[in-house]
Amino acid sequence: MNTYGKLFRITTFGESHGPAIGVVIDGCPAGLAIDENFIQTELDRRKPGQSKITTQRKEDDTFNILSGVFEGKTTGAPIAIVIDNQDQRSKDYSHLEKTFRPSHADYTYEAKYGLRDYRGGGRSSARETAARVAAGAIAKLLLRKESINVQAYVSRVGDIQAPAYTTLDLSKTEDYIVRCPHPETAEKMIALIDETRLNRDTIGGVITCVINNTPTGLGEPVFDKLHAELGKAMLSINAVKGFEYGSGFEGTKLTGSQHNDEFVNKGGTIKTKTNHSGGIQGGISNGEDIYFNVAFKPVATIMQDQQSVDNEGNEVTVSGKGRHDPCVVPRAVPIVEAMAVLVLADFLLRAKVSRI
Amino acid sequence: MNTYGKLFRITTFGESHGPAIGVVIDGCPAGLAIDENFIQTELDRRKPGQSKITTQRKEDDTFNILSGVFEGKTTGAPIAIVIDNQDQRSKDYSHLEKTFRPSHADYTYEAKYGLRDYRGGGRSSARETAARVAAGAIAKLLLRKESINVQAYVSRVGDIQAPAYTTLDLSKTEDYIVRCPHPETAEKMIALIDETRLNRDTIGGVITCVINNTPTGLGEPVFDKLHAELGKAMLSINAVKGFEYGSGFEGTKLTGSQHNDEFVNKGGTIKTKTNHSGGIQGGISNGEDIYFNVAFKPVATIMQDQQSVDNEGNEVTVSGKGRHDPCVVPRAVPIVEAMAVLVLADFLLRAKVSRI
Amino acid sequence: MNTYGKLFRITTFGESHGPAIGVVIDGCPAGLAIDENFIQTELDRRKPGQSKITTQRKEDDTFNILSGVFEGKTTGAPIAIVIDNQDQRSKDYSHLEKTFRPSHADYTYEAKYGLRDYRGGGRSSARETAARVAAGAIAKLLLRKESINVQAYVSRVGDIQAPAYTTLDLSKTEDYIVRCPHPETAEKMIALIDETRLNRDTIGGVITCVINNTPTGLGEPVFDKLHAELGKAMLSINAVKGFEYGSGFEGTKLTGSQHNDEFVNKGGTIKTKTNHSGGIQGGISNGEDIYFNVAFKPVATIMQDQQSVDNEGNEVTVSGKGRHDPCVVPRAVPIVEAMAVLVLADFLLRAKVSRI
Amino acid sequence: MNTYGKLFRITTFGESHGPAIGVVIDGCPAGLAIDENFIQTELDRRKPGQSKITTQRKEDDTFNILSGVFEGKTTGAPIAIVIDNQDQRSKDYSHLEKTFRPSHADYTYEAKYGLRDYRGGGRSSARETAARVAAGAIAKLLLRKESINVQAYVSRVGDIQAPAYTTLDLSKTEDYIVRCPHPETAEKMIALIDETRLNRDTIGGVITCVINNTPTGLGEPVFDKLHAELGKAMLSINAVKGFEYGSGFEGTKLTGSQHNDEFVNKGGTIKTKTNHSGGIQGGISNGEDIYFNVAFKPVATIMQDQQSVDNEGNEVTVSGKGRHDPCVVPRAVPIVEAMAVLVLADFLLRAKVSRI
């Protein structure tokens, strides 16, 4: 199932080394002005080779809109966006044809489908997320009209943890190549990533995402709770191993009297004193900040020899090759934002039919 | 959206104090023998009043199958199950009509829908999960035919943590009222829950779920990854704040060389040496144990006075009343299992069309 | 798939001789006043035994709303309605256990599912349509708020054809037991049905449905065109063999210059001079009357001996028994209306997100 | 909603005069050999300019597969196919910017979306059906593995009617430019189309589609009956006004004793003596021939002046321009087949989970 969303729906397609990847966005309301530069800016935040701590592989993710936009505005028709793959046939991937790389999807794809596109991960490659970022850019344009603001940043690399988001200026995130808007922490994170890269290894981390100015009423009980969809959306991103919102796993250690968010009347608006709820109660947004953490495992491709087996069960050695990210979280920040805005755009439309 | 699943689909309905709750299961294959006693056993694991550490409220969750089963077998038609609510009109809930209880869904439901069934939580009540457990029982019967085994247990209450699941005998879980199959830990958990109850407070915790004997090939890239659907399913349960699978949040601190699961050939079967992947790679099951953690916040209803506001913005005091659970996790174990098997049953059917 | 609709969704369940049939309506906006008497009135229009030209079987289709309505209004939660089957165990259906009745679903259900509920048609019985009528009554209440008016009537029985709908007073339909609001035609239709019944036979017919006061903009290109969904909805009713809208099959004999509907400005509103389009252009309503025809085959149960085979391939004689309708169209009028309003209610909600 | 199908799903995109049209096919099982020549052959059957009785406009519908196929076989990943539009910017469509052409979708698209791509029909153009034909070609390859055979032909143009399908050799359909495999009728149809073209007019017609060798068990009660989905699929094709299967509208004039299809045992296989049911009973295929008729209205674009209004309500004259089809049915034959096979492919997959 390569479609996500109920009303604002995206369908992505494409393999890492096929001719192109892309996305069809269906259900975007008509009349939305499309800023193509903004889409490119978002793609550039995700692209490889953007800084010294990412892969040095160069890909210029330029896109074409094939449909759904006329004279600069959406028409209500599906919006197809295609991003060509560059040099997709230049490399030799035959060494991967039969080998199952550890902690990649090689084995499971072959077990499920009976065959696989073994060129660089094929459909399971994180390259697919570029299509999500392009679609997310359009969702962001829709959310801007409602002044909803979605900002993600790197809150942890390995065991280097940034302070709580409430103490940070998230508008500065892009000033740091590691995308953590806290100077001292950012410096340490960069040092750890550099060290890891020199060790021919990789390291995991956590991205925190904060949504301000969300209206009340987003989320659909009982299965499509706002945090349940955010969770699914985040867990659908490559390398993600966990999701928590509001007080999360730590909050389970609290008592109810510590954890409950009392309501107060602030100048005519109902607010909560604390926000352990993370802006969501009963699966529906309550107007407070929504915040959540997304756990990313260390990248599976390492520049070291590893033991594995091939598709005939023979023992083989997998040797790391190519240029890969020592830590995926800096480049994953726009992907987390993209999936978050896609969820919100969908719920924003769904909320329009909640009452007569 | 009160429907979950693509092929094995459930639609739940009902409020805590309406005439009944229930579920329609659509897409269950024909020919499955239905053991009604087993469904009752599962409902009994969830029902209130089952032990001294749960709410002492008594509800006898008996059910009726209205359709879809003929001469003891499923026919392929939708299976409707109804569980009557007992004494649903006996209580006076008028004190809740205008008040927004802290960290409940009162405020968000009213903000979203413009009105709400204020009797004991209405649709947002965890009573709805009884319908999920009934449906889950049928999914379990389906999974049994494939010998897939799903077992959840309480792995943490407050900060009392059980040892790793690999050291436990999960078949003993039901022997402990707290549903933690480790005697010393169970004792401490029960003591903590007792103490919390005496303090008129509540406490959170974590449930771990382990799935053995899963076939390879379950899960659908790229959005309906197996862990993404498990995550959504768990996060859709009342009070859940987080989900992690395999190495989870802790695994993000590891390096790739520590974290990768090398493949080995064990007597002709491809297995992994370690299982940081939690049985899922690229969103598809690889045949190893699937395991994940689900975080539950402390129950919001506490036997203490709390400050809040009413729906006109006036300050009010909410006083705890009635008989509620001091800790929800023991009774949530069958709910976690139910949602897990519903996800698996759906993917099991979906996997039947992966290849020609 | 026992669910219909994208936003205003119904899921029906139940067999003709199980304990009950019913429907869950999900996605009905909150705040709609529910008139239970109106639901009963609609069910009574469909029920058996209502006149001398229908089956004389008596069923009193009383219903219970189990959820989703609080203090007389919808809450946004799913609305479950259950209609008990009366005396469902009183009859002996063992003669049908192995026999495939001609032009019934006995053979295909057994071929598909490997077993079947052979009691009176089971899931394939038209009794299921009572659930649709109950749900349709709620959709009608929603459409009333938009002043959309849906009226069906019997336009043909056998080869007795009523005049064009534009010459009829559709508000009089219920005055005639055959539900054709044209006195001379109604009389002839009744005579033909009577004669057919005396011949121990059955006869087919056509229902025409007219929708006035539809807003522009209903229908979703390219697959969910308004007439495509109306067509599917009608074809999903038992015994329906065809659907045409606007000029229909006859219109294919016209030339473009005869068939095109020229636009005119009538006092500031854009209208069409003629309405061969049947109120739908490009799959979207244009504000003119929507009208369509639905073809019903003769009822398959006849009071005559017929040759057939049993499930072991042996030749058997099927003898007609019981009390059945000699012509189904009079009782099918409320079913056609119900499916039409369910389609419109869904598109009305979907249209709310067409533009920013 | 530009997606069709539940398991074998297509999403089309593109406008008649945008850069390209295309389709994403999701859910095609892995391992299917893709014959690109066959896809081209199917597109060529639909393309303009193929004979003297179609539009003389030349479009060379060549396609590119962007994903989902590796080394000649499907991988289980979504298959994206793009067909570039040729010379899409060469024409001046400004005369259509404000004018609503009679019986086109200009008015309804503008009413629904507030704006429209006015270049040659935009999204509402029948050019979109090329994407369906490309997807249908892949579905045909899947059905071939089950030996299911789908053949459509022109059975009526204006009032010139071909004999019943059972008397025709459908394998000869492509030998006639009008795609009617009955020499005398084909000749008359061609003459009528020629005459109509000389009159600067257009004419409607009917396509009949016959499906042989269908397995039993396709179709899903109660809403997704096989004929209901076939009906929706056909009605979603541009210019279609009606659908009937089996005995259709005429069959409603018969009595039950005339209409019922008695079962017989033919050498161990259960067959029916007659086939008024059109191969479908209770919404499920019974193994007999499936046959249905699809009504196409005359093409709305005529080479004559017509009165209309513009989007400010002013009276305007619309003058026919360009090269258009005098009769759409010959070119619509592959489109009807494409939609039929897409429905069948979907149900074939869905049938795999009907029983344990």
Side-chain angles (χ1 to χ4, degrees):
Chain A
M1 189 67 164
N2 296 279
T3 296
Y4 187 78
K6 293 284 190 312
L7 291 182
F8 193 101
R9 281 180 304 278
I10 68 167
T11 302
T12 71
F13 58 85
E15 287 80 45
S16 56
H17 290 73
I21 62 165
V23 61
V24 180
I25 304 156
D26 198 9
C28 184
L32 181 69
I34 296 301
D35 176 348
E36 297 205 10
N37 290 332
F38 177 68
I39 300 173
Q40 190 61 60
T41 304
E42 289 289 282
L43 284 171
D44 289 348
R45 291 175 70 206
R46 196 212 72 99
K47 77 173 178 187
Q50 63 185 269
S51 81
K52 66 172 184 173
I53 58 168
T54 71
T55 170
Q56 295 306 300
R57 202 173 62 243
K58 292 285 181 195
E59 281 166 25
D60 222 24
D61 287 338
T62 56
F63 68 95
N64 282 297
I65 298 179
L66 299 187
S67 65
V69 179
F70 182 60
E71 297 181 343
K73 288 192 173 172
T74 58
T75 63
I79 303 164
I81 301 178
V82 171
I83 304 169
D84 285 344
N85 288 332
Q86 296 168 324
D87 308 323
Q88 77 269 16
R89 286 190 188 95
S90 62
K91 278 194 183 172
D92 180 12
Y93 280 91
S94 58
H95 61 292
L96 296 179
E97 184 174 351
K98 298 185 169 188
T99 299
F100 299 139
R101 292 168 296 165
S103 290
H104 275 91
D106 302 338
Y107 171 63
T108 52
Y109 268 64
E110 188 144 327
K112 183 178 185 71
Y113 298 114
L115 78 173
R116 69 190 159 96
D117 181 343
Y118 53 77
R119 299 166 302 171
R123 181 64 182 156
S124 74
S125 164
R127 174 142 188 76
E128 181 264 345
T129 58
R132 304 184 185 202
V133 170
I138 289 178
K140 276 194 180 178
L141 293 171
L142 185 66
L143 294 184
R144 271 192 196 168
K145 301 195 79 72
E146 314 277 335
S147 302
I148 301 171
N149 188 29
V150 177
Q151 289 172 295
Y153 68 97
V154 173
S155 56
R156 184 154 63 71
V157 171
D159 52 10
I160 300 172
Q161 172 77 47
Y165 88 87
T166 46
T167 68
L168 302 174
D169 178 357
L170 301 187
S171 70
K172 304 289 189 215
T173 299
E174 291 300 305
D175 296 352
Y176 302 85
I177 58 173
V178 75
R179 291 202 169 95
C180 173
H182 186 257
E184 296 78 13
T185 311
E187 203 174 325
K188 286 183 203 163
M189 286 172 168
I190 293 169
L192 176 58
I193 295 172
D194 261 344
E195 184 196 326
T196 304
R197 182 176 52 81
L198 291 172
N199 290 341
R200 309 179 71 79
D201 216 331
T202 59
I203 187 81
V206 173
I207 290 175
T208 298
C209 184
V210 183
I211 307 170
N212 313 119
N213 208 27
T214 315
T216 58
L218 302 191
E220 301 288 324
V222 292
F223 295 110
D224 294 357
K225 292 186 164 95
L226 177 48
H227 56 270
E229 281 297 338
L230 284 170
K232 175 178 171 179
M234 296 305 141
L235 288 157
S236 78
I237 299 172
N238 302 48
V240 172
K241 301 297 293 264
F243 170 87
E244 60 180 0
Y245 79 104
S247 61
F249 276 89
E250 276 305 303
T252 65
K253 298 177 182 168
L254 300 180
T255 62
S257 59
Q258 293 166 325
H259 190 274
N260 282 355
D261 296 321
E262 296 194 341
F263 287 107
V264 290
N265 183 334
K266 283 199 184 159
T269 304
I270 293 176
K271 305 290 290 175
T272 60
K273 271 191 207 166
T274 50
N275 187 17
H276 292 109
S277 298
I280 305 172
Q281 292 176 328
I284 302 171
S285 63
N286 68 0
E288 305 292 324
D289 284 359
I290 295 169
Y291 62 98
F292 56 83
N293 294 324
V294 187
F296 287 80
K297 70 169 187 175
V299 172
T301 303
I302 56 177
M303 297 300 102
Q304 303 179 21
D305 282 359
Q306 298 176 88
Q307 294 309 303
S308 190
V309 299
D310 66 17
N311 61 7
E312 290 167 347
N314 303 310
E315 287 192 12
V316 293
T317 299
V318 176
S319 301
K321 281 201 196 182
R323 291 159 294 173
H324 294 273
D325 289 280
C327 180
V328 80
V329 285
R331 284 179 57 209
V333 165
I335 305 169
V336 165
E337 288 180 6
M339 291 311 298
V341 293
L342 288 164
V343 169
L344 291 172
D346 196 27
F347 279 121
L348 204 62
L349 298 185
R350 293 171 77 177
K352 289 193 192 300
V353 296
S354 297
R355 17 169 145 174
I356 56 169
Chain B
M1 189 66 164
N2 295 281
T3 296
Y4 187 77
K6 294 283 191 307
L7 291 182
F8 193 101
R9 283 180 304 278
I10 67 166
T11 301
T12 71
F13 59 84
E15 287 80 45
S16 55
H17 290 72
I21 62 166
V23 62
V24 181
I25 304 157
D26 198 8
C28 183
L32 181 69
I34 295 300
D35 176 349
E36 298 205 11
N37 290 332
F38 178 66
I39 299 173
Q40 190 62 58
T41 305
E42 288 291 280
L43 284 170
D44 289 348
R45 292 175 69 208
R46 196 213 72 99
K47 77 173 177 185
Q50 63 186 269
S51 81
K52 66 172 185 172
I53 59 168
T54 70
T55 169
Q56 295 308 299
R57 204 172 60 242
K58 292 283 181 196
E59 281 166 25
D60 221 24
D61 287 338
T62 55
F63 67 95
N64 283 298
I65 297 179
L66 299 187
S67 64
V69 178
F70 181 60
E71 297 180 344
K73 288 194 174 173
T74 59
T75 63
I79 304 163
I81 302 177
V82 171
I83 304 169
D84 286 343
N85 288 331
Q86 296 168 323
D87 307 324
Q88 78 269 15
R89 286 192 187 93
S90 61
K91 277 193 182 173
D92 179 12
Y93 280 90
S94 59
H95 62 291
L96 296 179
E97 183 173 352
K98 298 186 169 187
T99 299
F100 299 138
R101 291 168 298 164
S103 290
H104 275 91
D106 301 338
Y107 171 63
T108 52
Y109 268 64
E110 187 144 328
K112 183 178 184 70
Y113 297 114
L115 78 172
R116 69 190 158 95
D117 181 342
Y118 51 78
R119 299 166 303 172
R123 181 65 181 155
S124 74
S125 163
R127 175 142 187 76
E128 181 265 344
T129 58
R132 304 185 185 203
V133 170
I138 290 179
K140 276 193 180 179
L141 293 172
L142 186 66
L143 294 184
R144 269 190 198 169
K145 299 194 78 71
E146 315 277 335
S147 303
I148 301 171
N149 188 28
V150 177
Q151 289 171 294
Y153 68 98
V154 173
S155 56
R156 185 155 61 71
V157 170
D159 51 10
I160 299 171
Q161 172 77 47
Y165 88 86
T166 45
T167 68
L168 302 174
D169 179 357
L170 301 187
S171 71
K172 304 287 189 216
T173 299
E174 292 299 306
D175 297 351
Y176 302 87
I177 58 174
V178 75
R179 291 202 168 93
C180 173
H182 187 259
E184 296 78 11
T185 310
E187 201 175 327
K188 287 183 202 163
M189 287 172 167
I190 293 169
L192 176 58
I193 293 173
D194 261 343
E195 182 195 327
T196 305
R197 181 176 53 79
L198 291 171
N199 291 340
R200 309 179 70 80
D201 216 332
T202 59
I203 187 80
V206 173
I207 290 174
T208 297
C209 184
V210 183
I211 308 170
N212 312 119
N213 207 26
T214 315
T216 58
L218 303 191
E220 301 288 324
V222 292
F223 294 111
D224 295 356
K225 292 185 163 98
L226 177 49
H227 56 272
E229 282 297 338
L230 285 169
K232 175 177 170 178
M234 296 305 140
L235 288 156
S236 79
I237 299 171
N238 301 47
V240 172
K241 301 297 294 267
F243 170 87
E244 60 181 0
Y245 80 104
S247 61
F249 276 89
E250 276 306 301
T252 66
K253 298 177 181 168
L254 300 180
T255 62
S257 60
Q258 294 166 324
H259 190 275
N260 282 355
D261 295 322
E262 296 194 342
F263 287 106
V264 290
N265 184 333
K266 284 198 185 162
T269 304
I270 293 177
K271 304 291 290 175
T272 61
K273 271 191 209 169
T274 50
N275 187 17
H276 293 109
S277 298
I280 305 172
Q281 292 176 326
I284 301 170
S285 63
N286 67 0
E288 304 293 325
D289 284 359
I290 295 170
Y291 62 98
F292 55 84
N293 295 323
V294 187
F296 287 80
K297 69 169 187 175
V299 173
T301 302
I302 55 177
M303 297 300 103
Q304 303 179 19
D305 283 358
Q306 297 176 88
Q307 294 309 303
S308 191
V309 298
D310 66 17
N311 61 6
E312 290 167 346
N314 303 309
E315 287 189 13
V316 292
T317 298
V318 176
S319 301
K321 282 200 196 183
R323 291 159 296 174
H324 295 273
D325 288 281
C327 181
V328 80
V329 285
R331 285 179 55 210
V333 164
I335 306 169
V336 164
E337 287 180 6
M339 292 310 299
V341 293
L342 288 165
V343 169
L344 291 172
D346 196 27
F347 279 121
L348 204 63
L349 298 186
R350 293 170 77 177
K352 290 193 191 300
V353 295
S354 296
R355 18 169 145 175
I356 56 169
Chain C
M1 188 65 164
N2 296 280
T3 296
Y4 188 78
K6 293 285 190 310
L7 291 182
F8 193 101
R9 281 181 304 279
I10 67 167
T11 301
T12 72
F13 59 85
E15 288 79 45
S16 57
H17 290 71
I21 62 165
V23 61
V24 180
I25 304 156
D26 197 10
C28 183
L32 182 68
I34 295 300
D35 176 348
E36 297 205 12
N37 290 332
F38 178 67
I39 299 173
Q40 190 61 60
T41 304
E42 289 291 280
L43 284 171
D44 288 348
R45 292 175 69 208
R46 195 212 73 98
K47 77 173 177 185
Q50 61 185 271
S51 81
K52 66 172 184 172
I53 58 169
T54 70
T55 170
Q56 295 306 300
R57 202 172 62 243
K58 292 285 181 196
E59 281 166 24
D60 220 24
D61 287 338
T62 55
F63 68 94
N64 282 298
I65 299 180
L66 299 187
S67 64
V69 178
F70 181 61
E71 297 181 343
K73 288 193 173 173
T74 58
T75 63
I79 303 163
I81 301 178
V82 171
I83 304 169
D84 285 343
N85 288 332
Q86 295 168 324
D87 307 322
Q88 76 269 16
R89 285 191 188 94
S90 61
K91 278 193 183 173
D92 179 13
Y93 280 91
S94 59
H95 62 291
L96 295 179
E97 184 173 353
K98 298 185 169 188
T99 298
F100 299 138
R101 291 168 296 163
S103 289
H104 275 90
D106 301 338
Y107 172 62
T108 52
Y109 268 64
E110 187 144 327
K112 183 179 185 70
Y113 298 114
L115 78 174
R116 69 190 158 96
D117 181 343
Y118 51 76
R119 299 167 302 170
R123 181 66 182 154
S124 74
S125 164
R127 174 140 189 77
E128 182 264 346
T129 58
R132 304 184 186 204
V133 170
I138 289 178
K140 276 194 179 178
L141 293 171
L142 186 66
L143 293 184
R144 270 191 197 168
K145 299 194 79 72
E146 314 278 334
S147 303
I148 301 171
N149 188 29
V150 177
Q151 290 171 293
Y153 68 97
V154 173
S155 55
R156 185 154 62 71
V157 171
D159 52 10
I160 299 172
Q161 171 77 48
Y165 88 86
T166 47
T167 68
L168 302 174
D169 179 356
L170 301 187
S171 71
K172 304 287 188 217
T173 299
E174 291 300 306
D175 296 351
Y176 302 87
I177 57 173
V178 75
R179 291 204 168 93
C180 173
H182 186 258
E184 296 78 11
T185 311
E187 202 174 327
K188 287 184 203 162
M189 287 172 167
I190 294 168
L192 176 59
I193 295 173
D194 261 343
E195 184 196 325
T196 304
R197 183 175 52 80
L198 291 172
N199 291 340
R200 309 179 72 79
D201 215 332
T202 59
I203 186 81
V206 173
I207 289 175
T208 298
C209 184
V210 183
I211 307 170
N212 313 118
N213 207 28
T214 315
T216 58
L218 302 192
E220 301 288 324
V222 291
F223 295 110
D224 294 356
K225 292 185 165 97
L226 177 49
H227 57 270
E229 281 298 338
L230 285 169
K232 175 177 171 178
M234 296 306 140
L235 288 156
S236 79
I237 299 172
N238 301 47
V240 172
K241 301 297 293 265
F243 170 87
E244 60 181 359
Y245 79 104
S247 61
F249 276 89
E250 276 305 302
T252 66
K253 298 177 181 168
L254 300 180
T255 62
S257 60
Q258 293 167 325
H259 190 274
N260 281 355
D261 295 323
E262 296 193 342
F263 287 107
V264 290
N265 183 333
K266 283 199 185 159
T269 304
I270 293 176
K271 305 291 289 174
T272 61
K273 270 191 208 168
T274 50
N275 187 17
H276 292 109
S277 298
I280 305 172
Q281 292 176 327
I284 301 170
S285 63
N286 68 359
E288 304 292 325
D289 284 358
I290 295 170
Y291 62 99
F292 55 84
N293 294 323
V294 186
F296 287 79
K297 70 170 187 175
V299 173
T301 303
I302 56 176
M303 297 300 103
Q304 303 179 20
D305 282 359
Q306 298 176 87
Q307 292 311 301
S308 191
V309 299
D310 66 17
N311 61 6
E312 289 167 349
N314 304 310
E315 287 191 13
V316 292
T317 298
V318 176
S319 301
K321 282 201 195 181
R323 291 159 296 173
H324 294 273
D325 288 280
C327 180
V328 80
V329 285
R331 284 179 57 210
V333 165
I335 305 169
V336 164
E337 287 181 5
M339 292 310 297
V341 295
L342 288 165
V343 169
L344 291 173
D346 196 27
F347 278 121
L348 203 64
L349 298 185
R350 293 171 77 177
K352 289 194 191 299
V353 296
S354 297
R355 17 168 144 175
I356 56 169
Chain D
M1 190 67 164
N2 295 280
T3 296
Y4 187 77
K6 292 283 189 311
L7 290 182
F8 193 101
R9 283 180 304 279
I10 68 167
T11 301
T12 72
F13 59 85
E15 287 79 45
S16 57
H17 290 72
I21 63 166
V23 61
V24 180
I25 304 155
D26 198 9
C28 183
L32 182 68
I34 296 300
D35 176 347
E36 298 206 10
N37 290 332
F38 177 66
I39 300 174
Q40 190 62 58
T41 304
E42 288 290 281
L43 284 170
D44 289 348
R45 291 175 69 206
R46 196 214 71 100
K47 78 173 176 186
Q50 62 186 268
S51 82
K52 65 172 184 173
I53 58 168
T54 71
T55 169
Q56 295 306 300
R57 203 171 62 242
K58 292 284 182 196
E59 281 165 24
D60 223 23
D61 286 339
T62 55
F63 68 94
N64 282 298
I65 298 179
L66 299 187
S67 64
V69 179
F70 181 60
E71 297 180 344
K73 288 194 173 171
T74 58
T75 63
I79 304 163
I81 301 178
V82 171
I83 303 168
D84 285 344
N85 289 331
Q86 296 168 324
D87 307 323
Q88 77 270 17
R89 285 190 189 94
S90 62
K91 279 193 181 172
D92 180 11
Y93 280 91
S94 59
H95 61 291
L96 295 180
E97 184 174 351
K98 298 185 170 187
T99 298
F100 297 138
R101 290 169 298 165
S103 290
H104 274 91
D106 301 339
Y107 171 61
T108 51
Y109 268 64
E110 188 145 328
K112 183 178 184 70
Y113 297 114
L115 79 172
R116 69 190 158 97
D117 181 342
Y118 51 77
R119 299 166 303 170
R123 181 66 181 154
S124 73
S125 164
R127 175 141 188 77
E128 182 264 345
T129 57
R132 303 184 187 203
V133 170
I138 290 178
K140 276 193 180 179
L141 294 171
L142 185 66
L143 294 183
R144 271 191 198 167
K145 299 194 80 70
E146 314 278 336
S147 303
I148 301 172
N149 187 29
V150 177
Q151 289 172 294
Y153 68 98
V154 173
S155 55
R156 186 153 62 70
V157 170
D159 52 10
I160 300 171
Q161 172 77 47
Y165 88 87
T166 46
T167 68
L168 302 175
D169 179 355
L170 300 187
S171 71
K172 303 289 188 214
T173 299
E174 291 300 304
D175 296 351
Y176 302 86
I177 58 174
V178 74
R179 291 202 169 92
C180 173
H182 186 259
E184 297 77 12
T185 310
E187 202 175 326
K188 286 184 203 161
M189 286 173 168
I190 293 169
L192 175 58
I193 295 173
D194 261 343
E195 184 196 326
T196 304
R197 183 177 50 80
L198 291 171
N199 290 340
R200 310 178 71 79
D201 215 333
T202 58
I203 186 81
V206 173
I207 290 175
T208 297
C209 186
V210 183
I211 307 170
N212 312 119
N213 208 27
T214 315
T216 58
L218 302 191
E220 301 288 324
V222 292
F223 295 110
D224 295 357
K225 291 185 164 98
L226 178 49
H227 56 270
E229 280 298 336
L230 285 169
K232 176 178 171 178
M234 296 306 141
L235 288 156
S236 79
I237 300 172
N238 302 47
V240 172
K241 301 298 293 267
F243 170 87
E244 60 180 0
Y245 80 104
S247 61
F249 277 89
E250 275 307 302
T252 65
K253 297 177 182 169
L254 300 180
T255 62
S257 60
Q258 294 166 325
H259 190 275
N260 281 355
D261 295 322
E262 296 193 343
F263 287 106
V264 289
N265 184 333
K266 285 199 185 161
T269 304
I270 293 176
K271 304 291 290 175
T272 61
K273 270 192 208 167
T274 50
N275 187 16
H276 293 108
S277 298
I280 304 172
Q281 292 176 326
I284 302 171
S285 63
N286 68 359
E288 304 292 325
D289 284 358
I290 295 170
Y291 61 99
F292 56 84
N293 294 323
V294 187
F296 287 80
K297 70 170 187 173
V299 173
T301 302
I302 56 176
M303 297 299 104
Q304 303 179 20
D305 283 358
Q306 298 176 88
Q307 294 309 303
S308 191
V309 299
D310 67 16
N311 61 6
E312 290 167 346
N314 303 309
E315 289 190 10
V316 293
T317 299
V318 176
S319 301
K321 283 200 195 184
R323 290 159 296 174
H324 294 274
D325 288 280
C327 181
V328 80
V329 285
R331 284 178 57 211
V333 165
I335 306 168
V336 165
E337 288 180 5
M339 292 310 298
V341 293
L342 288 165
V343 169
L344 291 172
D346 196 27
F347 279 120
L348 204 63
L349 299 185
R350 293 171 77 176
K352 289 193 192 300
V353 295
S354 296
R355 17 169 144 175
I356 55 169

